[in-house]
Amino acid sequence: MNFEIIFYRSGKTAVLQQELEKILIPFGGKLTAACAVSDNKELAEKMSLALKKRKLIIVTGRTDSSSESTEKLLSKILRPKDKKTAFAINTASTDGITLHYMVSGGQMILILPDLPESIATLEPRIRELITKHFNIKAEIRKTDDISKVNEKIGQDRSITMRTPVIPRGSTAEKRNKNKLGTLKIIFIILISLGITELAAAVIIYFIQ
């Protein structure tokens, strides 16, 4: 399920996008477009284009129920030409934080606060709405319990005691052999020099 995001006078767009993708990816959601708009005209243009292509459009912005709040602006923008009343807006809330949404046929517009922490709080409600409207469920990925993993390691000590084996004839092994050979030659030379110096010292001693 592809979706688009419209940021209306929003800050922290990168964080908001990341939070929304985290919520929607388990539903098979794929972000196809994201744009930032700063006035009513741009909002209307981008919304018109998005509605022609996507079933799910997410708008983040001011949601304080004032005359400039995003849901009220969208209600006016999406008002049918043959009707005087605005497009119906539904609301849902979690822990005192409210989201707005519009539904028409197979399409849904989610209007969310432009605060990442608010979206995180609304995550269960967003998942519930998507599941209900699009009749799809989030994919639940099973992960091993860390306590079970530790227990398994404790029972099989060989898991943590295995020694990595370097294949014979590898480049590293040949390089190590060459280094050892060089060290042996240097060691022999040093010993030879030491014996020579000692012999010379003895001869000089007896001559004097």
Side-chain angles (χ1 to χ4, degrees):
M1 177 184 64
N2 296 336
F3 67 97
E4 292 191 21
I5 303 175
I6 300 174
F7 301 104
Y8 179 62
R9 296 180 179 177
S10 296
K12 300 181 179 180
T13 55
V15 181
L16 290 168
Q17 179 177 321
Q18 186 179 23
E19 192 67 36
L20 289 168
E21 286 185 296
K22 184 186 75 173
I23 295 172
L24 293 170
I25 283 176
F27 289 95
K30 181 181 179 182
L31 179 63
T32 57
C35 63
V37 299
S38 58
D39 58 43
N40 301 2
K41 184 179 179 181
E42 282 186 317
L43 179 60
E45 290 174 353
K46 295 298 182 182
M47 179 58 66
S48 177
L49 291 172
L51 286 170
K52 292 177 182 178
K53 299 181 291 182
R54 304 292 168 234
K55 291 184 177 180
L56 176 62
I57 302 106
I58 299 173
V59 184
T60 66
R62 183 177 176 181
T63 55
D64 57 1
S65 299
S66 68
S67 60
E68 291 298 315
S69 62
T70 309
E71 76 277 5
K72 289 189 177 181
L73 291 175
L74 281 176
S75 179
K76 294 176 182 178
I77 290 171
L78 298 173
R79 177 184 294 159
K81 294 181 179 180
D82 58 342
K83 293 182 180 180
K84 294 182 179 180
T85 57
F87 197 93
I89 298 178
N90 303 290
T91 61
S93 62
T94 300
D95 295 337
I97 301 175
T98 301
L99 66 79
H100 306 274
Y101 64 99
M102 303 177 180
V103 175
S104 178
Q107 290 180 300
M108 174 184 281
I109 301 171
L110 281 175
I111 307 165
L112 305 173
D114 59 352
L115 298 172
E117 57 271 23
S118 295
I119 291 178
T121 301
L122 289 168
E123 180 176 345
R125 186 67 65 181
I126 295 171
R127 290 177 179 271
E128 180 184 328
L129 288 171
I130 291 174
T131 299
K132 182 178 179 181
H133 182 72
F134 295 105
N135 195 28
I136 54 176
K137 293 183 179 180
E139 177 186 351
I140 300 175
R141 296 181 179 180
K142 293 183 178 180
T143 57
D144 291 334
D145 187 342
I146 188 65
S147 61
K148 292 183 179 179
V149 173
N150 290 335
E151 182 181 352
K152 184 176 180 181
I153 292 175
Q155 292 174 350
D156 185 4
R157 292 182 60 82
S158 62
I159 293 176
T160 57
M161 295 177 68
R162 288 174 185 158
T163 303
V165 178
I166 300 174
R168 291 186 61 81
S170 66
T171 302
E173 186 180 16
K174 290 177 180 178
R175 189 162 55 244
N176 289 337
K177 285 184 177 180
N178 291 335
K179 288 181 179 179
L180 287 173
T182 303
L183 286 173
K184 287 180 180 179
I185 294 171
I186 293 172
F187 186 67
I188 292 170
I189 291 173
L190 289 174
I191 292 175
S192 300
L193 288 173
I195 294 172
T196 302
E197 291 180 0
L198 179 61
V202 171
I203 294 171
I204 292 171
Y205 176 78
F206 282 105
I207 292 175
Q208 292 178 348

